[in-house]
Amino acid sequence: MRNGLRYRSERWGLLLSAAVAAIWYGLWTAGGVGLFALAMLADAERLSSVVPSVLMFIFLYWQLAPLLTATMGMSIDLRKMALYPIGVRALFAVECLLRLVMGAEMLLLLAGLSAGMLARFPRRASEFLPALLLFVLANVLLAAGVRQLIERLLQRRRFREVFVFLLVMVSALPQLLVWSGSAEGIGRRLYAVSRLLPESLLPSGGLARAYLGAAGAADWLMLAAWCAAAGVFGYWQFRRTFRFDAAAARAPLSRQETERPRLADRLYRLPARLLPDPLAALVEKELKYFWRSPRFRLLFIMGFSFGVVVWLPFAMRRETSAGGLFQESFLTLLSLYSLLLIGQATFLNSFGFDRSAARYFFWLPLPLGRLLLAKNIVAGLFVLAEIALLAVVCRLLGMPVGPWQVVEAGGVTVICLFYLLSAGNLSSILFATGTSPERVSRGAGRGVHGLLVLLYPILIAPVLAAYFARYYWGSLPGFALLLGIAAAGGMAVYLAVLPLAARLGYQRRERLLEDLCRGEGPLVSQ
Amino acid sequence: MTTAIRTRGLRKLYGNKAAVDGLDLEVPGGCFFGFLGPNGAGKTTTIHILIGLIPATAGEVEILGRPLEKNLQAVKRKIGVVPDESVLFDRLTGPEFLQFVGRMYGLERAVAAERGRELLELFELNHQPRKLIAEYSKGMKKRAALAAALIHRPQLFLLDEPFEGVDPMGARLMKDILISQVRQGATIFLTSHVLEVVERLCDRVAIINEGRLVREGAIEELRSGGETLEDTFVRVVGGERVPQNLDWL
């Protein structure tokens, strides 16, 4: 915790972190106060229907939270402590305490509910307080086991990528269901399924009956059994994690050791055939580097999958003029969205994936401007590939995507790219952050890159002006003219900023390399 | 032969602390030069300045007879570097990495690929051509770094702890290659904490402490009076401490 605070205070992010924490825990505290009021005011019938559901939610949240944090790569690796003479049991106790802290939101809810019940039914305290302790204990032990199991699975090759992708797609499902009009029906079916859950056999059921003053011997036995089973499961998983060889799990199953070029190698060389060295060598190297980074691959795949799922409902609202606009320029909109995603890993923080190896560039006889240009070309190539894939996906979904839409999307995106690359080249030099190519679900690093994403509409304002002319005045020639002006302006801005960024990069090279050594993950390779 | 490295009043400040403090150094061409000092003496900082990685706060640097600042790109083409850490492009395979570096130094693709193949064979890294550098051991990374430093036949090598983590066979191989480079006229500027290696390889040695040059001369001069290089080193950096007896130890 101390390390985290020290790191944040260096980056002036402490206040922001404190504000976010205050809002987050403030909301859960409000939830706790609400449960207190419910316990104090609700009639018996309402209590008996609401309390079990609340406790079921707490149980599920406690078990799902480790899954989310593990996926995001937020973890303390207690295996490092194996170096010291500290027993596995003591470390397991530390892990359980971490699970308790990570479930602080649920403790706030339970505190509110328990305080209310205590104030209203003081005689039941001897019944529900021990049950509450057993409930918390079972949750903590089970969450520790689930967390360890997930951590190990995520170490397996490609598993994390697939898992995060599925998680992200599932998070976009609700709005798709609402748009498709099937949300109500699916909701009813989900409720029916949830009624089939053996709620009475879950620890939340036992605690609910203790709160309501109806707990019997079977409930106590069940709570104790949950604690024992969760303890055995948690400890077993924790021990297995200690013996787990992550490097072996990450290693490929087999590797063909041949020097014969593969199809992928030929593809990497393709764009470089049109360019002279050293630009060609740099482009080839960057293409390989990005495509071999799980984090980039996920962002690239999300660009033509998640983007479609997110924006499809807007485009389908045919009854509004906005719906018409979305539908007409759907591919352009998706292309710009994918530009935003790819930008996080590429041009907004160009040296992020190179991290410590970035210093290699500075002792090679290579002008920095040439390096930035190569990195920009690679970003552009990935964006164009993304547009092609988006066009295919849209056609498969039956969206009206023809040659004109593809040309429009390509042209507009390339024009926007000039402005964004200009901003990105400066941000890559001034706010470089080392990022781990392995961790697939962290943000771009420093807040400035996030801020650039927020400034996205301002950065592409000339293009937005062209669209304003097209839809507000209905003028296609006006649109083309303004787009032409935006293209010329973008090119001019790019050509002016590139040497400036290169000069700045050379002057600030020491600071740039220092910045890259901070950030996520280990300094050298993992 | 021209002087390979010349520094005058070289200074590098970090806040109020001088990592390098008025360093005057002259490394003759065609020499195997050992650059020694205790931890934190300023060796790596000096190398970083010599390769243009960080700017000096004050002072002058000449590499191969040319002022570094004014001829940075031209100078870089003539030097080969092995860094202290394994800072290689670890998502490339060995052959890809060497070919990339060769092309950066202006070699044709085919020439870079051919030389890369030969170097990998020489350094015994050719058995798994599809293995990413990220999967290399520390010793393999050091060998790959030296191979990359050799690919453009530089006139001057700047090697920061090149044998660290390398097995005895690998280290022997690297030493043989470096000696043959010096015989062919190249200059080697080497830092190492293994004084026996420095004693065996180097013609001249400089010792720095707290950023200042405290001793410089031919290896025979430093070993005179029956002292080993280690004795001289310990004496000049003031590290001769009487071991204290800790009651509990």
Side-chain angles (χ1 to χ4, degrees), chain A residues 300 304 338 342 378-392:
Chain A
F300 187 82
F304 65 85
S338 72
I342 288 180
V378 171
L381 288 172
F382 277 120
V383 167
L384 291 177
E386 192 84 85
I387 294 170
L389 285 165
L390 277 167
V392 172

Side-chain angles (χ1 to χ4, degrees), chain A residues 255 257-258 260 269 277 284 289 292 357 359-360 362 364-366 438 506 509-510 523-525, chain B residues 12 14 52-53 72-73 76 85-88 90-91 96 103 105 109 128-130 135 141 148:
Chain A
R255 200 192 290 266
E257 288 300 347
T258 165
R260 194 165 49 85
R269 281 185 198 174
D277 265 350
E284 204 177 311
Y289 226 71
R292 289 171 185 170
R359 70 174 60 173
Y360 215 104
F362 286 89
L364 288 173
L366 174 71
E438 296 285 344
Y506 178 69
R509 61 193 186 278
E510 194 175 357
L523 179 67
V524 192
S525 62
Chain B
K12 179 66 190 177
Y14 288 106
L53 200 61
L72 194 59
Q73 300 303 337
K76 281 179 180 178
E85 296 159 86
S86 305
V87 287
L88 311 178
D90 56 12
R91 283 180 188 275
E96 285 170 352
R103 289 166 75 187
Y105 282 104
R109 175 200 280 273
Q128 291 167 297
R130 293 241 176 261
E135 296 162 354
K141 283 181 183 174

Side-chain angles (χ1 to χ4, degrees), chain A residues 33-99:
Chain A
V33 171
L35 285 176
F36 176 82
L38 178 93
M40 289 291 285
L41 304 171
D43 56 40
E45 195 183 340
R46 189 155 178 76
L47 273 180
S48 63
S49 68
V50 172
V51 169
S53 304
V54 168
L55 292 173
M56 171 78 97
F57 167 78
I58 290 173
F59 174 70
L60 291 176
Y61 182 96
W62 220 317
Q63 303 315 314
L64 287 174
L67 199 137
L68 288 171
T69 54
T71 316
M72 289 160 77
M74 293 158 69
S75 65
I76 297 173
D77 190 0
L78 287 175
R79 275 183 301 175
K80 286 179 182 163
M81 301 302 286
L83 198 64
Y84 304 102
I86 304 171
V88 177
R89 283 182 191 188
L91 291 174
F92 180 62
V94 174
E95 172 68 19
C96 290
L97 284 174
L98 285 171
R99 292 307 110 224

Side-chain angles (χ1 to χ4, degrees), chain B residues 2-8 10 25 27 29 46-52 60-81 154-158 187 189:
Chain B
T2 56
T3 304
I5 300 171
R6 178 181 286 132
T7 70
R8 287 278 170 269
L10 194 66
L25 202 65
V27 178
T46 305
I47 287 196
H48 283 180
I49 295 171
L50 296 180
I51 59 178
E60 292 166 18
V61 180
E62 267 182 39
I63 304 280
L64 301 166
R66 296 168 127 181
L68 181 67
E69 275 296 307
K70 288 179 189 161
N71 303 280
L72 194 59
Q73 300 303 337
V75 165
K76 281 179 180 178
R77 284 183 195 283
K78 293 182 176 176
I79 61 177
V81 182
Q155 292 175 26
L156 169 65
F157 290 86
L158 296 157
T187 308
F189 185 82

Side-chain angles (χ1 to χ4, degrees), chain A residues 379-409:
Chain A
L381 288 172
F382 277 120
V383 167
L384 291 177
E386 192 84 85
I387 294 170
L389 285 165
L390 277 167
V392 172
V393 171
C394 287
R395 287 293 292 178
L396 290 173
L397 286 172
M399 296 296 294
V401 172
W404 165 242
Q405 275 84 2
V406 175
V407 169
E408 182 194 339

Side-chain angles (χ1 to χ4, degrees), chain A residues 210-230:
Chain A
Y211 273 128
L212 299 170
D219 291 310
W220 289 105
L221 200 66
M222 188 256 293
L223 277 168
W226 265 98
C227 283

